[in-house]
């Protein structure tokens, strides 16, 4: 069985909306609900942990009561950073397998979760090709990176819970912050392999205002797959 | 197991649809809703005995009790697969003759009750692999007819509601159909046009046949559109 950490604590500061982006709608539906829609039929998930700002807990309770009455879930207070939010979630995980996803990636499909969960490897992530050239440097170019050796890291990701917790403790001790968990896990759990499944370009992270526009198209064409 | 709810099944188009669907091999349970028990009983009598049917005497204008009724249907059958919103009310009045009660009753039966019933049912339909909803609107919902403003507006609401839900629920594989019949030989029509010869207009069985065809059409290409059903012979 799987514990599922759903990150919904982001403040969405880069998106020019008043509400944090996970509560903002694409196709009339908040991003958080897009993700919940894909989760609730997955038998393997028997613990759902939602990390959120507690001031929005009432909103989430109402959303779940209206759309998924009877769904069991735990609301955990998010941390100041993404890493701290995951750390809070890990404290209550009861299973040895944890899947981590974020509300800002609404176009994940049920089958993407199932493929990750059912993969025989214990630590698995999704990664997409990088379609553009990436150079190192800020004000001046310092190096050329080979994009065919790089991967655009996506969520969802799956880890062995205890191993990820050990890695987190080391990262915390070193006061090192990561923007996602595969990097952290790789750095502090070197002995463990992390398998990369081919991710799709549709699984965007809604970050900028334009992503809400792009998201409408992705929803219509890819998630629903309907003609105009 | 396919469980179907039909409102307005005590006569007219609702009855003809219940009778037609009782011969559909895909249907296992039919829950028939209206306020007139004798009418429901007669519908049941005309239906194929090969299908399990349940009669529920329920006034759909009791909006606050709809949730509980749907919950009890779900508890009993374990799923709700098809919802047919056919119940309707018409008491057409000129604008200056109409009353708050008339406007309110028209919108309550034709629109609010079907919206609340649909909301209550969709909660369970989301758990299915495939579900279907048919809303019966009217040509009045898209064609102006003096004296029919309240009814026409309520049916326009049904049309727009159906089109919107078709988009909103596609992701959950819930197909939403909107059927708009023209003049049909039922009690409702008889009351409003007593001089009309009912044999010259469309029969409720014709509309029932269309609904049956939609529900058994696997392509679902006609979902989400206002489908006008008219008697070709007219
Ligand atoms: N006939 C036409 O020319 C025509 C044309 C276009 C659209 N339509 C639409 O087609 C649908 C069926 O109409 P019809 O011609 O078959 O009319 P009908 O013979 O008068 O039947 C109406 C049905 O709705 C039910 N109903 C009405 N108010 C209800 C309430 N408060 N609670 C529960 N059930 C209620 C009635 O049941 P009880 O009386 O037992 O409560 C009856 O079964 C309606 O939506 C109507 O607007 C009809």
């Amino acid at each position: 069985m799987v514990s599922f950490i759903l990150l919904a604590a982001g403040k969405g500061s880069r998106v020019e909306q008043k509400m944090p982006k996970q509560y903002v709608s694409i196709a009339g539906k908040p991003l958080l609900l897009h993700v919940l829609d894909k989760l609730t039929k997955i038998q393997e998930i028997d613990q759902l942990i939602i990390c959120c700002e507690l001031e929005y807990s009432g909103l989430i309770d109402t959303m779940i009561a209206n759309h998924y009455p009877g769904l069991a879930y735990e609301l955990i207070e998010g941390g100041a950073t993404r890493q701290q939010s995951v750390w809070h979630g890990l404290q209550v995980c009861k299973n040895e397998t944890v899947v981590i996803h974020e509300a800002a990636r609404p176009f994940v499909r049920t089958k993407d979760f199932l493929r990750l969960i059912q993969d025989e490897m214990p630590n698995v992530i999704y990664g997409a090709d990088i379609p553009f050239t990436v150079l190192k440097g800020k004000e001046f170019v310092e190096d050329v990176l080979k994009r065919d050796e790089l991967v655009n890291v996506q969520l969802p990701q799956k880890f062995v819970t205890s191993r990820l917790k050990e890695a987190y403790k080391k990262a915390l001790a070193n006061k090192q912050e990561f923007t996602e968990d595969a990097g952290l896990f790789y750095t502090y759990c070197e002995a463990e392999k992390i398998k990369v499944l081919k991710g799709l370009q549709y699984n965007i992270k809604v970050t900028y205002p334009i992503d809400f526009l792009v998201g409408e198209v992705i929803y219509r064409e890819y998630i629903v797959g309907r003609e105009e | 197991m396919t469980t179907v709810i039909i409102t307005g099944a005590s006569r007219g188009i609702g009855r003809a649809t219940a009778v037609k669907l009782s011969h559909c091999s895909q249907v296992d349970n039919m829950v028939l809703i209206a306020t007139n028990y004798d009418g429901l009983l007669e519908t049941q009598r005309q239906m194929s005995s090969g299908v399990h049917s349940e009669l529920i005497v329920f006034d759909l204008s009791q909006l606050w009790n709809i949730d509980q009724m749907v919950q009890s249907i779900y508890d009993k059958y374990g799923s709700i697969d098809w919802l047919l919103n056919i119940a309707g009310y018409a008491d057409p009045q000129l604008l200056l003759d109409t009353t708050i009660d008339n406007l309110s009753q028209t919108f309550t039966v034709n629109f609010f009750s079907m919206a609340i019933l649909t909301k209550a049912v969709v909660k369970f339909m989301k758990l299915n692999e495939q579900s279907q909803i048919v809303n019966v609107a009217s040509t009045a919902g898209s064609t102006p007819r003096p004296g029919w403003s309240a009814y026409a507006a309520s049916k326009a609401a049904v049309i727009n509601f159906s089109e919107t839900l078709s988009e909103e629920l596609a992701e959950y594989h819930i197909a939403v159909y909107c059927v708009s019949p023209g003049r049909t030989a039922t009690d409702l029509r008889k009351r409003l046009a007593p001089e009309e010869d009912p044999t010259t207009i469309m029969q409720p069985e014709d509309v029932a046949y269309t609904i049956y065809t939609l529900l058994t059409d696997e392509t679902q290409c006609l979902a989400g559109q206002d489908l006008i059903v008219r008697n070709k012979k007219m």
Side-chain angles (χ1 to χ4, degrees):
Chain A
M1 284 297 175
V2 171
S3 294
F4 192 104
I5 297 178
L6 176 51
L7 298 171
K11 293 194 174 65
S13 55
R14 271 182 290 179
V15 177
E16 292 152 14
Q17 305 266 2
K18 278 202 186 113
M19 287 288 260
K21 63 185 169 189
Q22 56 273 24
Y23 308 116
V24 177
S25 295
I26 288 179
K29 186 163 75 175
L31 302 192
L32 180 63
L33 201 51
H34 278 270
V35 177
L36 288 174
D37 272 341
K38 312 302 181 340
L39 283 182
T40 45
K41 281 188 186 166
I42 299 178
Q43 307 289 332
E44 287 92 336
I45 298 171
D46 73 344
Q47 186 185 23
L48 172 60
I49 302 154
I50 303 175
C51 295
C52 65
E53 303 275 332
L54 286 189
E55 61 174 301
Y56 293 103
S57 59
L59 191 67
I60 296 179
D61 287 339
T62 306
M63 204 183 272
I64 292 180
N66 286 347
H67 292 265
Y68 290 102
L71 180 73
Y73 61 101
E74 296 158 54
L75 291 183
I76 299 289
E77 184 165 19
T81 62
R82 180 196 183 283
Q83 186 165 318
Q84 284 170 23
S85 291
V86 176
W87 179 237
H88 290 178
L90 284 172
Q91 303 313 306
V92 297
C93 278
K94 63 174 189 181
N95 294 299
E96 240 327 60
T97 301
V98 59
V99 169
I100 300 170
H101 191 67
E102 55 199 349
R105 288 186 190 264
F107 304 120
V108 64
R109 300 162 305 172
T110 300
K111 60 178 166 192
D112 300 326
F113 284 131
L114 285 174
R115 184 164 167 231
L116 188 83
I117 291 168
Q118 288 164 2
D119 194 286
E120 60 201 11
M121 296 287 286
N123 305 300
V124 188
I125 67 168
Y126 277 100
D129 291 340
I130 296 188
F132 41 80
T133 300
V134 191
L135 299 180
K136 188 175 171 194
K138 271 290 178 190
E139 307 222 326
F140 296 95
V141 173
E142 292 166 16
D143 201 358
V144 180
L145 301 177
K146 292 186 183 147
R147 75 177 183 203
D148 53 0
E149 290 178 0
L150 302 174
V151 64
N152 171 4
V153 177
Q154 294 183 328
L155 271 72
Q157 302 181 344
K158 174 179 88 169
F159 299 101
V160 174
T161 311
S162 55
R163 281 310 172 82
L164 186 61
K165 273 170 117 169
E166 283 165 26
Y168 257 80
K169 280 181 193 155
K170 291 179 191 162
L172 282 172
N174 282 349
K175 294 195 167 50
Q176 214 182 345
E177 279 285 334
F178 290 80
T179 51
E180 53 70 60
D181 299 296
L184 184 151
F185 192 84
Y186 179 80
T187 306
Y188 289 107
C189 254
E190 272 174 75
E192 297 272 341
K193 277 201 175 325
I194 307 172
K195 180 174 173 181
V196 182
L197 295 175
K198 188 74 126 186
L200 296 171
Q201 301 293 348
Y202 294 111
N203 184 13
I204 63 167
K205 176 164 175 159
V206 175
T207 310
Y208 301 105
I210 192 175
D211 296 332
F212 282 90
L213 301 178
V214 172
E216 293 285 341
V217 178
I218 295 178
Y219 178 80
R220 195 170 59 233
E221 301 296 327
Y222 171 69
I223 297 294
V224 180
R226 290 261 302 252
E227 292 170 30
E228 271 290 83
Chain B
M1 281 292 227
T2 298
T3 298
V4 185
I5 295 179
I6 307 182
T7 70
S10 64
R11 48 200 160 95
I13 296 171
R15 170 181 288 167
T17 305
V19 172
K20 181 77 188 159
L21 277 182
S22 70
H23 295 280
C24 175
S25 59
Q26 292 175 46
V27 174
D28 301 290
N29 306 305
M30 292 177 65
V31 180
L32 311 182
I33 299 172
T35 63
N36 185 309
Y37 180 70
D38 290 340
L40 287 174
L41 208 57
E42 175 55 22
T43 303
Q44 190 179 45
R45 199 191 60 74
Q46 293 182 23
M47 283 164 53
S48 156
S49 56
V51 71
H52 170 81
S53 58
E54 177 177 347
L55 312 181
I56 298 185
V57 172
F58 185 88
D59 180 353
L60 286 165
S61 58
Q62 302 300 305
L63 302 177
W64 273 266
N65 299 333
I66 288 178
D67 239 352
Q68 203 190 337
M69 175 187 60
V70 170
Q71 180 72 50
S72 66
I73 295 171
Y74 178 77
D75 290 344
K76 188 160 176 184
Y77 297 103
S79 77
I80 301 173
D81 304 276
W82 297 355
L83 169 65
L84 280 59
N85 288 304
I86 303 181
Y89 172 82
D91 180 14
Q93 305 278 350
L94 288 169
L95 178 68
L96 296 185
D97 295 327
T98 195
T99 59
I100 292 175
D101 281 350
N102 173 256
L103 284 166
S104 168
Q105 177 70 358
T106 307
F107 265 82
T108 300
V109 176
N110 291 353
F111 179 65
F112 292 127
S113 77
M114 64 82 73
I116 301 292
L117 180 59
T118 304
K119 178 183 166 188
V121 168
V122 162
K123 192 168 68 182
F124 299 116
M125 283 185 165
K126 275 174 84 170
L127 307 172
N128 300 342
E129 294 295 321
Q130 289 277 348
S131 319
Q132 308 198 86
I133 297 173
V134 177
N135 297 327
V136 172
S138 167
T139 48
S142 57
T143 327
R145 205 171 299 165
W148 286 74
S149 54
Y151 180 82
S154 74
K155 290 299 188 179
V158 173
I159 294 169
N160 213 300
F161 185 75
S162 308
E163 289 171 347
T164 304
L165 283 196
S166 174
E167 296 293 311
E168 189 172 320
L169 302 179
E171 188 186 341
Y172 311 109
H173 307 289
I174 302 173
V176 182
Y177 293 98
C178 181
V179 172
S180 286
R183 298 179 296 159
T184 313
T186 65
D187 289 354
L188 182 143
R189 183 71 201 169
K190 188 86 201 150
R191 223 169 0 92
L192 301 172
E195 303 303 319
E196 188 177 60
D197 175 358
T199 62
T200 61
I201 60 173
M202 189 160 61
Q203 300 303 304
E205 289 73 21
D206 299 336
V207 184
Y209 186 82
T210 302
I211 295 174
Y212 177 92
T213 307
L214 292 173
L215 288 168
T216 51
D217 168 23
E218 281 173 18
T219 70
Q220 302 188 336
C221 290
L222 293 169
Q225 304 167 49
D226 180 25
L227 303 170
I228 309 276
V229 186
R230 274 210 184 96
N231 189 350
K232 278 207 299 276
K233 286 171 275 180
M234 280 195 307

